[in-house]
């Protein structure tokens, strides 16, 4: 085997090959393919090892770098506005697809007690953003608290000025070390993707998915429409760039997101992709962790809208225009309001069902296939983060268009 030729294969092609071979292994081996899951678990564990220190160092460096070049306030406002815009459009697409497809058919729910989740109020969400012990937040991987603390440290370094230069250089060095460690871990991506896809296909199979095929299909259809037309449209119209080139360079991160079902776990791959697109390292280090926490078009827009309609159809509960409006507004607001809450997609669905008075028992019915749905939800969220990085980055001069159209000449992830 010629390892030199293999090393020259583009990174995205290696990831795609692992994805396809994982599906094939799951089909051929059936339930035995679940024994390949440790390959995926190894990859996810390695990625989780990186997340907290990578986010902390990258956010501090991005704040100290951006602080003297652009208005951080304006950049933040534009980023959050984009999150809200795409979140609203995701809700509307979810409502449209859900209302056009009869997903329930003759299916009947089995009543199961489902306790309502403890959903924090807005004030509590704000309080939870402030780390009482920053070191504990880093150890426990509380990403939202890490982002807030890192941003405050970066702002303080800017305000102190020259006296804080040694600390600034320390964080810059720390960020470079984490980027290098990330390059090493990302080499495991094709193997991890292979193991995870083999496990998913082997565990669920067609027999498990067929009874809920219409529901799953509706969510996948809405997500693909959102990705292609909303994200692709914003790349074409707002950034005046090629959507095809964007999606080609975004593919590795999309595949990692799809297989891991983790926005935070995909951060290293997302960083690699946005920088290959020409987004400056300092802005991508700011927008991607923020997006992984707050930009949830798949979890907060599409999923609760379609799931609420699906549950209403199964229970035979009619929904009027007021209900649809409540679903759209609640789903959009909940995507930001539940930032940093574990199991956010389920929390958002609980909020949506509670607002329009649908039975929470319906959650138990769709929980069994949540992993399959979570894959496309996460891929949608991550694609939205990368689109925001490109569109806002270009509008703020944090973008290299020549790099965007440049083809990769190496198979290895380059984060510099």
């Amino acid at each position: 085997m010629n390892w030199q030729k293999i090393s020259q294969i583009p990174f995205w092609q290696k990831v795609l090959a692992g994805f396809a071979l994982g599906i094939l292994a799951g089909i051929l081996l059936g339930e035995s393919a679940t024994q390949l899951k440790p390959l995926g678990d190894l990859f996810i564990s390695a990625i989780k090892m990186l997340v907290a220190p990578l986010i902390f160092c990258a956010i501090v460096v991005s704040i100290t770098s951006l602080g003297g070049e652009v208005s951080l306030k304006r950049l933040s406002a534009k980023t959050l506005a984009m999150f809200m815009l795409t979140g609203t459009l995701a809700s509307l697409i979810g409502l449209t697809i859900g209302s056009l497809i009869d997903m329930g058919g003759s299916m009947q729910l089995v009543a199961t007690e489902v306790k309502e989740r403890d959903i924090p109020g807005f004030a509590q969400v704000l309080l939870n953003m402030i780390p009482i012990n920053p070191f504990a937040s880093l150890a426990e991987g509380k990403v939202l608290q890490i982002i807030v603390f890192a941003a405050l440290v970066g702002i303080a370094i800017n305000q102190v000025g020259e006296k804080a230069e040694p600390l600034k250089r320390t964080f810059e060095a720390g960020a470079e070390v984490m980027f290098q460690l990330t390059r090493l871990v990302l080499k495991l991506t094709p193997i991890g993707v292979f193991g995870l896809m083999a496990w998913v296909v082997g565990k669920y199979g067609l027999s498990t998915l067929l009874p809920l095929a219409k529901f799953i299909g509706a969510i996948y259809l809405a997500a693909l429409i959102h990705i292609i037309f909303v994200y692709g449209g914003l790349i074409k119209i707002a950034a005046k760039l090629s959507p095809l080139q964007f999606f080609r360079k975004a593919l590795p991160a999309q595949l990692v997101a799809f297989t891991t079902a983790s926005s935070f776990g995909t951060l290293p791959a997302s960083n690699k992709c946005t920088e290959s697109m020409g987004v400056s390292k300092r802005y991508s280090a700011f927008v991607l962790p923020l997006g992984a926490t707050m930009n949830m078009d798949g979890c907060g827009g599409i999923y609760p809208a379609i799931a609420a309609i699906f549950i209403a159809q199964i229970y035979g509960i009619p929904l009027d225009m007021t209900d649809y409006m409540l679903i759209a507004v609640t789903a959009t607001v909940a995507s930001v309001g539940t930032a940093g809450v574990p199991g956010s997609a389920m929390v958002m669905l609980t909020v949506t069902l509670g607002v329009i008075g649908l039975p929470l028992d319906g959650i138990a019915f769709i929980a069994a296939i949540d992993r399959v749905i979570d894959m496309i939800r996460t891929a949608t969220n991550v694609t939205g983060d990368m689109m925001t990085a490109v569109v806002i980055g270009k509008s703020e001069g944090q973008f290299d268009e020549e790099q965007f159209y440049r083809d990769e000449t190496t198979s290895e992830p380059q984060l510099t």
Side-chain angles (χ1 to χ4, degrees), residues 30-66:
E31 193 171 345
S32 298
T34 57
Q35 298 178 16
L36 296 171
K37 188 172 183 285
L39 294 175
D41 292 338
L42 174 66
F43 173 64
I44 292 177
S45 296
I47 289 292
K48 286 181 178 179
M49 171 185 69
L50 299 173
V51 170
L54 178 63
I55 290 176
F56 182 72
C57 292
I59 287 287
V60 172
V61 171
S62 69
I63 296 295
T64 56
S65 299
L66 290 169

Side-chain angles (χ1 to χ4, degrees), residues 361-381:
D361 287 5
I363 295 177
F365 190 72
I366 59 179
I369 44 89
D370 188 67
R371 167 73 191 203
V372 177
I373 298 170
D374 200 18
M375 295 164 76
I376 193 64
R377 286 194 309 239
T378 307
T380 304
N381 297 342

Side-chain angles (χ1 to χ4, degrees), residues 98-226:
S99 59
L100 291 176
I101 300 176
D102 181 13
M103 298 173 285
S106 58
M107 197 181 301
Q108 295 293 324
L109 279 177
V110 177
T112 305
E113 183 182 358
V114 177
K115 295 181 180 180
E116 187 170 355
R117 296 289 296 269
D118 181 18
I119 303 165
F122 181 72
Q124 188 61 44
V125 170
L126 291 178
L127 290 174
N128 290 339
M129 292 170 62
I130 307 300
I132 297 175
N133 184 341
F135 297 102
S137 299
L138 285 165
E140 297 169 10
K142 295 182 177 179
V143 177
L144 189 58
Q145 293 184 1
I146 294 172
I147 292 173
V148 171
F149 182 65
L152 293 174
V153 170
I155 292 170
I157 289 175
N158 286 338
Q159 291 178 343
V160 171
E162 187 176 348
K163 289 184 178 180
E165 279 298 317
L167 182 59
K168 179 180 177 181
R169 289 195 297 270
T170 299
F171 281 118
E172 289 173 349
E176 289 301 325
V177 170
M178 290 310 304
F179 288 142
Q180 179 59 32
L181 186 56
T182 297
R183 293 188 194 99
L184 298 176
V185 170
L186 283 181
K187 292 181 180 180
L188 298 174
T189 302
I191 298 173
V193 166
F194 168 78
L196 289 170
M197 282 310 301
W199 166 68
V200 169
V201 175
K203 178 179 180 179
Y204 291 97
L206 295 178
S207 60
T208 305
L209 303 181
L210 282 177
L212 294 169
K214 286 187 177 180
F215 174 57
I216 297 171
I219 291 178
Y220 272 67
L221 176 61
L224 290 175
I225 289 174
H226 189 66

